[in-house]
Amino acid sequence: MIMRNKNGQTDESDELDMLLEQYMAQAPIPSAQLLSRTKAAAARQSQSQSIIWLRALVAISLVLNLLLFYIIPALLLTTGLGMWMKIGLILAYAVGLQLVALVLYVGRKQVLGWMKKLEVLV
Amino acid sequence: MNAQHLIARYRAGQPYALDPLIEESRLPLYRFCYHLTRSRADADDLFQEAWLKAVRYLDRYRSDKPFLPWMFTITLNTYRDRYRSRARWAAKVKAFFSEEAHERAMTGVPDPNSQPEEHLLEQEMSERLAECLHSLDDKFRVPLILYYYKEFSYEEIADMLGVPIGTVRSRLNTAKLKLKERMRK
């Protein structure tokens, strides 16, 4: 018997081919428990990825918090400027932070879009 | 619903979005695992482990390619990493003492139209083939399984194994020759 395979070639199908095809067709089916176990494990993996992302966000916000509200103001205070200059600098810095917050609030949809993209990258 | 869409939903935070894909791959993938490991317990482990690995590396899946061959590649790599390192003799001893071999022999329901002698002969041949096939080196056995089980093309097999098409062709030929030789003994 001449059979044509997927590669477009003709093979002389011998007994071994037939036996192999028959043998490959015989195999057990997976149990329902295995499938539900696998589905649950895949779902858990997704949740654990979300948790990792959430932890990363918390860590980033903590670092930013430290940097913006403690370290940078402290550094500004240690500059060799006069008292009023320092107060002016701190006030300007605080106003600058407020402006950044305002811009982030106004463009929140855009920011959320960036975060989604970041999440996909992570 | 296509694989790409389901993957996107999973990545967007729907933990059960991959269920249809797992369901769809259950038969071809599990049977592939079984042919690789030749044990139900190991096939169960391999199936689950391959899926977990796939979920971890979903971002590496290229949407222009079909999903199932990608899953087969991951399964194959998982098998290589974990199962192939085991000593072959240990698997043979396990298969010999496991009840599955006897189970396989017992569950072979005869065709009502065939003669009992014919059925016995077929069963004997099938067992002999299984024995000879699993005595082959993985280098030859895996292409045979991929070619005869899922009827993948040479190109697809080459892609999965990461070897040139010519190598797949020659390995398949050598595997068949070796198999014929061992079957004759």
Side-chain angles (χ1 to χ4, degrees):
Chain A
M1 186 167 64
I2 304 291
M3 281 176 73
R4 194 173 284 275
N5 64 22
K6 270 177 87 173
N7 297 290
Q9 294 161 326
T10 51
D11 284 344
E12 202 175 341
S13 175
D14 57 9
E15 205 183 353
L16 184 67
D17 283 314
M18 279 168 59
L19 270 173
L20 275 166
E21 277 164 18
Q22 275 173 11
Y23 171 72
M24 294 300 171
Q26 302 166 359
I29 56 167
S31 64
Q33 289 101 311
L34 174 68
L35 282 179
S36 54
R37 258 202 333 259
T38 308
K39 286 175 187 172
R44 267 201 309 275
Q45 187 104 344
S46 151
Q47 281 154 356
S48 69
Q49 274 171 357
S50 305
I51 289 168
I52 289 168
W53 174 237
L54 201 68
R55 279 183 188 154
L57 263 185
V58 169
I60 290 167
S61 66
L62 271 174
V63 171
L64 270 179
N65 182 36
L66 268 176
L67 200 73
L68 294 175
F69 299 106
Y70 294 91
I71 297 171
I72 293 178
L75 284 174
L76 288 176
L77 284 175
T78 54
T79 53
L81 299 167
M83 174 68 91
W84 288 109
M85 280 295 275
K86 277 181 187 171
I87 290 171
L89 212 58
I90 293 279
L91 277 174
Y93 177 70
V95 170
L97 276 184
Q98 293 300 312
L99 278 175
V100 169
L102 193 69
V103 168
L104 285 179
Y105 177 72
V106 172
R108 60 189 180 280
K109 279 189 182 164
Q110 183 71 42
V111 174
L112 278 174
W114 291 338
M115 283 179 76
K116 276 255 179 230
K117 273 186 193 165
L118 258 179
E119 194 178 352
V120 168
L121 286 176
V122 171
Chain B
M1 210 174 283
N2 68 3
Q4 184 60 27
H5 187 71
L6 293 170
I7 290 169
R9 278 174 53 188
Y10 179 80
R11 292 180 67 85
Q14 292 183 26
Y16 291 96
L18 291 183
D19 285 8
L21 275 182
I22 297 175
E23 200 69 52
E24 204 181 292
S25 73
R26 59 192 272 269
L27 268 186
L29 197 67
Y30 183 79
R31 287 184 162 172
F32 179 56
C33 294
Y34 181 79
H35 281 307
L36 284 176
T37 60
R38 226 192 152 202
S39 138
R40 269 201 91 123
D42 286 343
D44 282 10
D45 287 348
L46 182 59
F47 180 84
Q48 195 167 342
E49 210 176 306
W51 259 109
L52 284 182
K53 214 178 216 180
V55 165
R56 213 173 305 143
Y57 298 111
L58 270 181
D59 50 331
R60 293 188 192 173
Y61 166 64
R62 282 174 52 194
S63 54
D64 56 327
K65 294 207 166 184
F67 185 74
L68 201 59
W70 184 71
M71 265 317 293
F72 268 66
T73 310
I74 289 191
T75 309
L76 202 54
N77 290 338
T78 314
Y79 167 74
R80 278 172 174 166
D81 291 348
R82 185 173 165 181
Y83 295 89
R84 203 167 62 169
S85 56
R86 290 182 186 173
R88 291 293 292 251
W89 66 266
K92 280 178 189 166
V93 170
K94 195 176 160 190
F96 182 80
F97 287 107
S98 85
E99 285 177 14
E100 281 174 41
H102 304 290
E103 209 178 280
R104 268 200 302 274
M106 297 298 284
T107 50
V109 182
D111 178 357
N113 299 322
S114 74
Q115 298 296 318
E117 298 87 36
E118 261 179 49
H119 174 70
L120 265 175
L121 209 67
E122 261 176 34
Q123 201 174 309
E124 207 174 288
M125 281 292 273
S126 176
E127 277 167 24
R128 178 102 190 94
L129 177 75
E131 211 175 281
C132 295
L133 183 66
H134 288 274
S135 71
L136 286 178
D137 196 73
D138 273 351
K139 196 167 89 176
F140 301 112
R141 192 169 68 94
V142 172
L144 265 185
I145 294 174
L146 288 168
Y147 188 76
Y148 283 96
Y149 170 55
K150 274 306 284 179
E151 293 179 349
F152 282 121
S153 66
Y154 291 146
E155 204 182 342
E156 284 169 318
I157 298 173
D159 214 25
M160 284 180 207
L161 299 177
V163 294
I165 296 181
T167 310
V168 172
R169 214 172 269 148
S170 76
R171 279 188 193 172
L172 271 169
N173 283 335
T174 315
K176 278 170 76 175
L177 283 175
K178 279 179 184 262
L179 205 56
K180 269 182 196 168
E181 220 170 80
R182 288 180 195 191
M183 293 277 285
R184 265 190 226 116
K185 276 182 194 168

